[in-house]
Amino acid sequence: MNSKVTKIEVDDAAFTQEEAQPFVPRHRPAYPKLTIIDDGEESAGEVVRLRRDSLAIGRSEGDLQFPAERMMTSLHARISLDEVSPGSWQWILHDLESRHGVFTRFHEEIVRAGNEILIGGTKLIMHGAASTPAIQEGRSRHVPYVAKNFRTSTAIVAMGYTPDRPDLIIPVERRQLEFGAAVQGAGRIVGDSFMDPKHLSLRSTDGNTWTASDMGSLNGTWLRIRRRELDSDCEFMVGEQRFLFNLGN
């Protein structure tokens, strides 16, 4: 019996398997992965797949609970999914008015007066020209100690992440200041075992704005946020628990 072979004519273009894209859903959002990072690890830990439109994190309430976390509020943070337009979704990280905040890890960021930065076990609270008088007069609840001859228009307040460490005002009289365990000058922070020798660089652009750059530190540099759109992979911290968000699309 004779068989017929159908021949499909195409143009001269060469097609390879590499040109085909892996399948991703078009009518629903991709399901991100959330890794609860193990203590002492960089990225290894328990993986949770986000298949619902909301996930809450807290010490004693929420979908993920951490009863031993003393720095975590009962209901501390939430990741939610918003449909911003038909067929377009956005994952968002929210701080639920927690006491100690939610921090995201960054390499370089523009920071302003009022921002809080965590390096090692030390928190830096940024104060600008507008808030300097309150610091000088000792009215800031973060600053019980006032530096003498404090004439600069900008300041950084370094305070411990835990209440048993003293506060310290660091005036910024230069355009750049480095923080770490072995830097020279006002940015040297001793007694913090999580601090790199050179941890953070701050470059001042005006009295209220700085460029903050992590200097390749082991434990990272973190910015306190109230709300952040999760449009790329990121690492964030709730209490003393670190998480890795992987968008997965």
Side-chain angles (χ1 to χ4, degrees):
M1 182 176 68
N2 294 330
S3 62
K4 295 183 178 180
V5 177
T6 303
K7 183 178 180 181
I8 301 176
E9 298 290 344
V10 296
D11 58 23
D12 294 334
F15 294 94
T16 64
Q17 189 179 44
E18 286 73 16
E19 294 181 66
Q21 297 181 355
F23 173 79
V24 293
R26 295 182 178 180
H27 302 288
R28 66 162 174 83
Y31 294 137
K33 291 187 299 184
L34 184 67
T35 303
I36 307 170
I37 300 177
D38 291 338
D39 296 341
E41 296 288 341
E42 283 295 313
S43 58
E46 178 184 353
V47 177
V48 177
R49 181 68 73 173
L50 277 67
R51 301 187 188 277
R52 296 183 296 172
D53 59 5
S54 179
L55 181 140
I57 303 169
R59 187 180 70 248
S60 57
E61 300 178 43
D63 304 291
L64 298 178
Q65 298 181 18
F66 302 84
E69 277 285 343
R70 307 323 303 167
M71 303 294 289
M72 194 179 288
T73 305
S74 297
L75 188 59
H76 197 118
R78 175 177 286 111
I79 299 174
S80 65
L81 177 65
D82 292 352
E83 187 170 8
V84 294
S85 63
S88 178
W89 296 271
Q90 177 69 65
W91 292 94
I92 301 174
L93 173 63
H94 306 266
D95 176 21
L96 300 178
E97 299 184 359
S98 65
R99 178 181 179 185
H100 295 292
V102 175
F103 288 80
T104 57
R105 189 170 186 171
F106 70 90
H107 295 288
E108 185 169 282
E109 194 79 47
I110 300 296
V111 296
R112 296 176 174 82
N115 285 155
E116 297 181 24
I117 299 174
L118 184 64
I119 53 174
T122 300
K123 185 187 292 182
L124 305 179
I125 301 180
M126 315 299 294
H127 285 262
S131 57
T132 299
I135 298 174
Q136 286 181 292
E137 296 172 17
R139 292 199 297 264
S140 171
R141 65 184 178 87
H142 298 297
V143 191
Y145 168 76
V146 180
K148 295 180 179 179
N149 301 320
F150 188 72
R151 298 188 179 91
T152 181
S153 63
T154 62
I156 298 167
V157 180
M159 63 178 293
Y161 193 54
T162 53
D164 59 346
R165 297 189 56 181
D167 297 349
L168 174 66
I169 293 178
I170 303 176
V172 179
E173 298 175 345
R174 303 187 304 272
R175 287 291 182 182
Q176 185 165 349
L177 182 65
E178 292 181 350
F179 289 85
V183 301
Q184 299 297 319
R188 185 178 182 185
I189 299 176
V190 297
D192 187 340
S193 60
F194 303 126
M195 187 78 59
D196 265 47
K198 288 190 174 185
H199 201 115
L200 171 69
S201 170
L202 281 172
R203 300 189 305 277
S204 176
T205 55
D206 58 44
N208 297 294
T209 307
W210 299 263
T211 299
S213 304
D214 181 77
M215 302 178 74
S217 66
L218 174 64
N219 292 307
T221 300
W222 306 73
L223 178 67
R224 184 170 183 171
I225 59 97
R226 290 185 174 85
R227 178 184 185 276
R228 171 173 170 170
E229 295 182 354
L230 299 174
D231 49 13
S232 61
D233 296 354
C234 78
E235 191 173 347
F236 67 92
M237 181 157 47
V238 178
E240 292 185 303
Q241 179 60 57
R242 296 184 178 186
F243 298 84
L244 183 63
F245 178 88
N246 182 267
L247 200 54
N249 60 357

